[in-house]
Amino acid sequence: MTGLNRDLERRVVERTEALTTQNRLLTESLGILDNLPMAIVGMDPEGTVFQCNRKGMVCFGSRIGPVIGANRRDVLTDAQNRLVDEVLEKSRKAGNGSASAVDGKHQAVLERNPYSTDCVILIVHEVPSGG
């Protein structure tokens, strides 16, 4: 029984160290994302915003209030929503699901990942002006 306890304790320590490292890396990654000079908005294919960096909060939040959990139709401008619609349509037609589109100022990317849910990322290179 003592050997089992030692093995269990060793496993708990290893798992705790791995989780601590993963948490640190995630925190650092979010810090980098938050400080990018362009707005980054992550949403699911149904349009619910689940991620928005600091620049995005400044661009969109002052216009509509809370961004996280909001529908992209309420957050993005008409032009940005058309770009996201274009990416979603391209994704449906592509078969593999991944797609991207650029309109000169903005870029939208839909990346299908077998390890996580689908997500659309909108990169806004300019502060949006009106809808």
Side-chain angles (χ1 to χ4, degrees):
M1 188 76 159
T2 305
L4 286 175
N5 283 343
R6 277 195 305 268
D7 186 51
L8 180 59
E9 287 175 9
R10 180 187 55 77
R11 289 182 184 193
V12 167
V13 166
E14 288 173 358
R15 185 66 180 144
T16 300
E17 288 173 355
L19 289 172
T20 299
T21 299
Q22 288 175 346
N23 188 44
R24 184 180 51 79
L25 293 173
L26 178 61
T27 300
E28 289 175 14
S29 296
L30 288 173
I32 291 168
L33 177 70
D34 221 24
N35 288 299
L36 289 174
M38 71 271 302
I40 309 290
V41 181
M43 62 206 87
D44 66 23
E46 287 74 42
T48 303
V49 175
F50 63 81
Q51 178 66 35
C52 188
N53 70 348
R54 185 176 298 141
K55 181 81 171 186
M57 293 291 190
V58 170
C59 290
F60 302 115
S62 60
R63 198 175 66 202
I64 67 142
V67 174
I68 305 298
N71 187 283
R72 72 171 169 99
R73 300 263 178 220
D74 299 325
V75 173
L76 306 177
T77 65
D78 291 341
Q80 292 161 349
N81 274 304
R82 283 191 298 274
L83 189 63
V84 171
D85 289 338
E86 179 183 340
V87 164
L88 290 170
E89 184 59 28
K90 281 183 174 180
S91 170
R92 284 192 266 291
K93 289 180 179 178
N96 70 355
S98 297
S100 66
V102 178
D103 76 355
K105 292 185 274 186
H106 314 303
Q107 178 179 8
V109 177
L110 186 142
E111 192 60 45
R112 303 241 184 229
N113 183 335
Y115 305 107
S116 66
T117 57
D118 298 338
C119 107
V120 178
I121 304 296
L122 178 70
I123 303 168
V124 180
H125 297 281
E126 184 175 284
V127 176
S129 59

